[in-house]
Amino acid sequence: MAILLSPIGAPAAHWQREFARLLPDEEIRVWPEVGDRGDITVAAVARLPDGELANLPKLKLIASLLAGQDALLSDPKLPSVPIVRTGDPGGDELMTETCLAHVLRHHCELPAYAVAQTHREWQPRPRRRADERRVGILGLGAIGTAAARKLAGHGFKVAGWVRHARSEPGVEIFAGREHLQAFLARSEIIVNLLPLTPETIDLLNKDTFARLPEGAAVINIGRGATLVDDDLLAALDSGHLSGATLDVFRQEPLPKDHRFWSHPRVTITPHVARRLDPAGIVARIAENVRRLRAGEPLAWLVDRSAGY
Ligand code: NDP
């Protein structure tokens, strides 16, 4: 029995150290040095070439190293073994901080002042308090919920858009497509924290942008393909949207000739909203490996049909 590891976000040695510490009795094979494929029962991976996981005849569990399952689930030969999440169900400190930083930046109109500065224009804008600003978060999962709580704690009027209705103190919940328009209409700054699924691809398009209030800002730290690039540029160029901050893109790295690079109202960060935390991730993998070996129900399962 062995665990196949495909390191990402940290050197292989760092991951191996955590596996050795938390699963000392398990043999760890670092991809592509798979060895005898029949030994592998667990794969801890972000994504491998299509068909690679299907070539592991004894595979019983896939531990997904990334929060988004889109890359993994796009493998047409993905074996039908359980997939478990490995992120902290309580949220991600760095993602929360990224959300707070970008929301505060748009709230304080810093992108508009950056543009004004390039023209040496002294243009004071009305200063608003946080409780006068309506922030909308698309996706209140592990990461979105923690971010929503932080933003609400800061004083913003926060709403979240989800699939399944639920209550969350201090956060107005809008559930399902039938409530998307109302969610957008009340949100002056939106933060995308949706997983990329067949339902969310291209969701941020000209129609959804048009539903946002005049002067709204868009922050995308979920996945690039949730947003239609040309529609965002058109909404910025028309003045309907005041700015956009993008950490994720349809193609990464963002091609040098993409219009986002030179647009005065677009801020780009190179997919750095968070840093993977091998210690926490391996601790959750270890818990599920223990459950697997003990025949207990697994924790933090991915719903493959929903795509997250
Ligand atoms: P979760 O799977 O925990 O939560 C997903 C949320 O999205 C849930 O609230 C879910 O609703 C909601 N949702 C999913 N589909 C729909 C839909 N069709 N309509 C309305 N709501 C929907 O995700 P995480 O919080 O762990 O992560 C969110 C995403 O952030 C990841 O999938 C990843 O793409 C991205 N990410 C980006 C990073 C970066 O570096 N930029 C780093 C980490 C993550 P419900 O609660 O009803 O199920």
Side-chain angles (χ1 to χ4, degrees):
M1 287 197 297
I3 296 177
L4 179 65
L5 165 68
S6 172
I8 184 169
H14 189 157
W15 287 99
Q16 284 171 295
R17 206 165 49 238
E18 293 305 325
F19 274 102
R21 190 169 67 82
L22 295 165
L23 288 165
D25 299 330
E26 301 280 339
E27 184 189 350
I28 307 300
R29 308 237 180 107
V30 179
W31 192 84
E33 306 300 324
V34 184
D36 183 346
R37 294 180 170 275
D39 296 339
I40 307 291
T41 52
V42 177
V45 297
R47 152 121 230 210
L48 291 181
D50 285 354
E52 186 72 8
L53 290 165
N55 262 335
L56 303 171
K58 297 282 171 50
L59 189 68
K60 296 203 163 38
L61 172 67
I62 299 171
S64 172
L65 299 183
L66 294 181
Q69 311 308 326
D70 45 298
L72 196 54
L73 293 177
S74 70
D75 178 351
K77 294 185 181 152
L78 192 67
S80 57
V81 301
I83 303 172
V84 289
R85 301 158 54 105
T86 60
D88 188 339
D92 184 287
E93 197 184 332
L94 295 185
M95 288 295 278
T96 298
E97 191 176 82
T98 298
C99 271
L100 181 63
H102 292 314
V103 168
L104 282 171
R105 185 167 162 271
H106 285 284
H107 168 61
C108 294
E109 317 239 16
L110 299 185
Y113 289 123
V115 172
Q117 186 174 339
T118 61
H119 302 295
R120 299 174 182 251
E121 286 172 356
W122 183 273
Q123 274 181 348
R125 305 168 75 88
R127 186 76 174 92
R128 288 163 67 180
R129 290 197 318 258
D131 64 1
E132 296 166 334
R133 183 75 73 183
R134 287 168 283 124
V135 179
I137 302 187
L138 295 138
L140 285 186
I143 293 171
T145 300
R149 288 176 184 162
K150 175 67 91 181
L151 292 166
H154 185 79
F156 289 111
K157 286 195 161 44
V158 180
W161 186 62
V162 292
R163 273 201 326 151
H164 310 97
R166 67 162 207 261
S167 65
E168 173 63 39
V171 179
E172 192 180 355
I173 300 289
F174 293 80
R177 282 275 171 163
E178 62 275 30
H179 296 292
L180 178 60
Q181 291 191 6
F183 166 84
L184 295 168
R186 56 75 63 202
S187 298
E188 298 166 284
I189 300 173
I190 57 165
V191 183
N192 176 41
L193 276 168
L194 290 166
L196 181 62
T197 71
E199 286 188 24
T200 64
I201 191 165
D202 296 336
L203 181 88
L204 298 177
N205 57 37
K206 59 179 182 316
D207 298 326
T208 41
F209 295 140
R211 301 282 172 189
L212 291 168
E214 194 75 24
V218 171
I219 299 169
N220 188 11
I221 50 177
R223 283 289 181 267
T226 300
L227 184 146
V228 179
D229 297 4
D230 286 343
D231 290 0
L232 176 65
L233 288 164
L236 290 166
D237 288 341
S238 74
H240 180 63
L241 295 182
S242 62
T245 297
L246 309 172
D247 184 60
V248 287
F249 303 89
R250 284 178 181 258
Q251 189 182 339
E252 295 181 6
L254 184 64
K256 296 263 189 228
D257 60 352
H258 199 290
R259 272 188 67 205
F260 283 159
W261 284 114
S262 56
H263 199 286
R265 297 191 177 275
V266 174
T267 299
I268 291 169
T269 53
H271 203 143
V272 290
R274 83 157 173 170
R275 187 187 73 201
L276 289 182
D277 160 33
I281 289 172
V282 177
R284 283 177 286 278
I285 294 174
E287 172 58 19
N288 265 324
V289 169
R290 186 196 66 71
R291 290 177 184 225
L292 178 75
R293 306 288 190 230
E296 295 174 16
L298 298 168
W300 313 303
L301 280 162
V302 169
D303 177 347
R304 291 171 69 133
S305 63
Y308 67 101

